[in-house]
Amino acid sequence: MSNVVLEVRDLGINFGGLRAVDGLNIDVEKNQLYGLIGPNGAGKTTVFNMLTGVYEPSDGTIKLNGELLNKKKPHEIARKGVSRTFQNIRLFKNLTVLENVLIALDTQADYSILTGVLKLPKFFRQEKEMEEEAMRLLAVFGLDSDAHTLARNLPYGKQRELEIVRALGTHPKLLLLDEPAAGMNPQETQSLMDAIETLRNTFDISVLLIEHDMKLVMGICEKITVINYGTLLACGTPEEIQTNPQVIKAYLGE
Amino acid sequence: MSGINQFLMQLINGLNIGSIYALIALGYTMVYGIAKLINFAHGDIIMVGAYVSLLCLNTGMPWFLACIVTIVVCAVFGVVMEKLAYKPLRKASRISLLITAIGVSYLLENAFQLIFSANPKPYPGFITLPNIKLGSISIAANYYVTFIVSVVLMVVLNLFIQKTNVGKAMRAVSEDEGAARLMGINVDNTISLTFAIGSALAAIAGILYSNCYSPINPFMGSLPGIKAFIAAVLGGIGSIPGAVLGGFILGMIETMVKAYISSQLLDSIVFTILILMLALKPSGILGKSVKEKV
């Protein structure tokens, strides 16, 4: 029971009169790769936005290792250990690859302006340590050789990977990946799948991912939740999901 | 020979006023970069700085203490201004923010007029270093101190923004506020800090300006504020090197127009530059032109 990292209960949100998500339950266990899938407009990104504090849920609870996250601000939730990437890449494009990761690391360092301005030796030592850690993280995706390139000059696939590295920089317990393979070719998708597995094992984190690429989802996720019109349609192992008639109906029609 | 001397003198005048414009323009451009707001009340912080430092000096406080108090007061003032006037409107349309900023500007000018009256007050200049002789021309202390202080501040600011983690956070917020939040950056604090730094720079500009151009009055910040805004646009609003460059270019143009063309046409020429810039290259000299992806 204590193995559950993310516990979502009866989660719901209204946008005006629209019930975008309703009565959703998710349990992500420690070190689990968990998939959240559903047809377009099913409310997947809305769920992510509630998990990260961008939207405030109308009802239900979100707990991270037993701690209630509802009503916390996005930056607080990020510091508690929930980090994410975006469907449309949202890197700091005019900063270097390294700086993108350092920003995430900095927020964990609990810096103060005074440390930066006054305690110079400590500050420089800390900066150096952070830079080394950032390079280690970048190396997971082989991005360390591009450390001083501006993020916007990276090829598309690498930008997606950099977003994951940046998210790892906040030392998350739970990593949320919003369509990590969107726009990638089959080879890139394959190497991404391998990388997600690797980082889950190396960094000992849980991963919750939204994805349309069924090969990726079925290939690496241990558990999958399918939502449609904001409500739970099915939940189970990839095999169970693939043979679930309701899921097939939602995706392919009658 | 005297022609060259006169030109050199004008060059020095241009650097002097240019460095003041650059200091103010930095505040404009930083706030714009982070809060996407043209803070038209920014120029009035110069005036606040001038009056606060005057009050301090009149109590007999030593000048460096007066400067520190002024900088702190103005920084806090900038933060309070943001919290009271702009923060509640952060989700409102840009035009509401802009109009609010104009309102804040008028509020400050008239409040100070009410408190201190509209009569100009003599400012006891405290920069009493000797003049520097360069060949046959001599440069007054006010001028070279203003220039040196401004350049040092610009270098420090640039290092701060490029090298420190707080500076990185500022750049991140300016690029994508939402993503910055989700990476654990406290956006509210970052915005407050930006206002504090911008206002502190304006306070220093106010002190330097008053030293060069005593007496002071409640409306003294208005025109330099607008000029600095033009400088920021000229250099590319949102760009820090752009603000510095724009400030110096504008100061130089202004001085040269005043000396060699007509001091009456001065402001019309400066504003024509703004109009031309906006018409021909709205992103400014160093600004990035944003291409909409379709």
Side-chain angles (χ1 to χ4, degrees), chain A residues 13-253:
Chain A
I13 187 168
N14 304 320
F15 292 122
L18 177 77
R19 186 82 177 153
V21 173
D22 186 36
L24 190 67
N25 295 315
I26 298 176
D27 281 320
V28 181
E29 287 170 17
K30 196 166 184 338
N31 230 347
Q32 194 171 38
L33 271 170
Y34 198 113
L36 181 63
I37 64 173
N40 280 328
K44 303 180 296 288
T45 299
T46 305
V47 172
F48 268 27
N49 281 336
M50 285 191 279
L51 296 180
T52 48
V54 175
Y55 297 154
E56 195 184 312
S58 309
D59 35 338
T61 56
I62 301 167
K63 282 182 184 168
L64 184 74
N65 289 326
E67 188 183 358
L68 198 63
L69 293 186
N70 297 48
K71 296 206 185 259
K72 284 208 162 47
K73 292 192 177 125
H75 72 264
E76 291 167 344
I77 294 179
R79 291 177 191 197
K80 294 261 178 249
V82 180
S83 195
R84 73 176 284 182
T85 66
F86 301 88
Q87 200 170 341
N88 46 338
I89 301 173
R90 285 173 74 175
L91 288 167
F92 305 121
K93 289 193 169 53
N94 293 311
L95 271 59
T96 65
V97 168
L98 181 63
E99 282 174 337
N100 267 278
V101 184
L102 283 175
I103 278 174
L105 285 171
D106 279 342
T107 59
Q108 291 302 304
D110 233 2
Y111 60 77
S112 72
I113 305 163
L114 285 180
T115 329
V117 179
L118 296 177
K119 296 180 188 166
L120 285 169
K122 186 192 169 193
F123 171 71
F124 280 122
R125 195 175 59 234
Q126 218 179 0
E127 279 286 294
K128 199 166 152 38
E129 282 167 11
M130 280 191 197
E131 219 171 287
E132 284 164 6
E133 189 186 347
M135 292 305 273
R136 275 200 301 276
L137 289 174
L138 285 169
V140 176
F141 284 95
L143 281 164
D144 45 340
S145 53
D146 293 315
H148 298 287
T149 319
L150 289 184
R152 68 182 143 109
N153 293 335
L154 284 183
Y156 181 85
K158 287 194 169 187
Q159 290 195 11
R160 285 224 165 266
E161 291 170 349
L162 175 57
E163 239 199 349
I164 297 176
V165 178
R166 183 180 66 174
L168 284 173
T170 65
H171 298 154
K173 301 184 179 82
L174 174 69
L175 180 64
L176 308 177
L177 303 176
D178 197 347
E179 295 199 24
M184 283 188 171
N185 64 35
Q187 281 157 315
E188 285 172 326
T189 306
Q190 185 56 48
S191 71
L192 179 77
M193 284 168 65
D194 299 341
I196 293 174
E197 286 256 28
T198 313
L199 65 89
R200 184 263 306 256
N201 298 331
T202 329
F203 297 99
D204 195 28
I205 52 175
S206 311
V207 179
L208 175 60
L209 65 90
I210 295 175
E211 190 47 72
H212 279 296
D213 189 317
M214 284 304 145
K215 192 166 157 270
L216 186 146
V217 177
M218 299 301 170
I220 64 173
C221 292
E222 291 137 2
K223 201 173 176 193
I224 294 170
T225 283
V226 190
I227 58 173
N228 196 16
Y229 300 114
T231 56
L232 184 92
L233 195 68
C235 177
T237 63
E239 295 73 35
E240 288 165 359
I241 296 297
Q242 269 166 321
T243 51
N244 184 313
Q246 275 184 297
V247 175
I248 296 168
K249 197 174 111 184
Y251 269 93
L252 301 175

Side-chain angles (χ1 to χ4, degrees), chain B residues 87-257:
Chain B
K87 197 182 169 198
L89 291 172
R90 211 176 281 161
K91 293 208 171 91
S93 68
R94 293 256 201 108
I95 195 81
S96 314
L97 271 169
L98 199 69
I99 292 167
T100 308
I102 296 171
V104 173
S105 168
Y106 279 115
L107 176 74
L108 287 178
E109 289 170 10
N110 288 292
F112 272 69
Q113 187 182 10
L114 205 65
I115 302 169
F116 296 100
S117 90
N119 295 334
K121 294 215 183 324
Y123 189 90
F126 54 80
I127 300 176
T128 51
L129 296 166
N131 294 358
I132 289 183
K133 283 232 181 271
L134 266 184
S136 54
I137 55 168
S138 91
I139 308 167
N142 278 335
Y143 284 61
Y144 65 79
V145 169
T146 302
F147 180 71
I148 293 168
V149 169
S150 310
V151 170
V152 168
L153 285 174
M154 288 166 208
V155 171
V156 170
L157 180 70
N158 204 38
L159 284 176
F160 177 78
I161 288 178
Q162 295 301 327
K163 301 286 178 200
T164 67
N165 35 22
V166 187
K168 268 182 234 123
M170 282 178 157
R171 284 185 288 150
V173 172
S174 124
E175 287 227 3
D176 189 333
E177 194 187 305
R181 245 180 243 283
L182 291 163
M183 288 304 121
I185 293 173
N186 187 332
V187 171
D188 286 347
N189 286 358
T190 309
I191 292 179
S192 292
L193 185 70
T194 309
F195 269 85
I197 293 176
S199 303
L201 291 175
I204 297 168
I207 295 171
L208 294 169
Y209 189 81
S210 309
N211 265 288
C212 296
Y213 307 98
S214 168
I216 63 173
N217 70 69
F219 301 96
M220 64 180 278
S222 160
L223 202 55
I226 297 286
K227 296 272 179 69
F229 166 65
I230 298 176
V233 171
L234 194 65
I237 192 131
S239 152
I240 295 213
V244 175
L245 185 69
F248 281 115
I249 292 178
L250 193 75
M252 217 46 99
I253 293 176
E254 217 186 87
T255 314
M256 294 305 163
V257 167

Side-chain angles (χ1 to χ4, degrees), chain B residues 6 10 13 253-263 266:
Chain B
Q6 198 209 345
Q10 297 307 337
N13 285 340
I253 293 176
E254 217 186 87
T255 314
M256 294 305 163
V257 167
K258 210 191 280 181
Y260 294 107
I261 303 175
S262 152
S263 56
L266 175 66

Side-chain angles (χ1 to χ4, degrees), chain B residues 62-74:
Chain B
W63 64 268
F64 57 90
L65 204 59
C67 289
I68 292 170
V69 171
T70 306
I71 291 166
V72 171
V73 168
C74 284

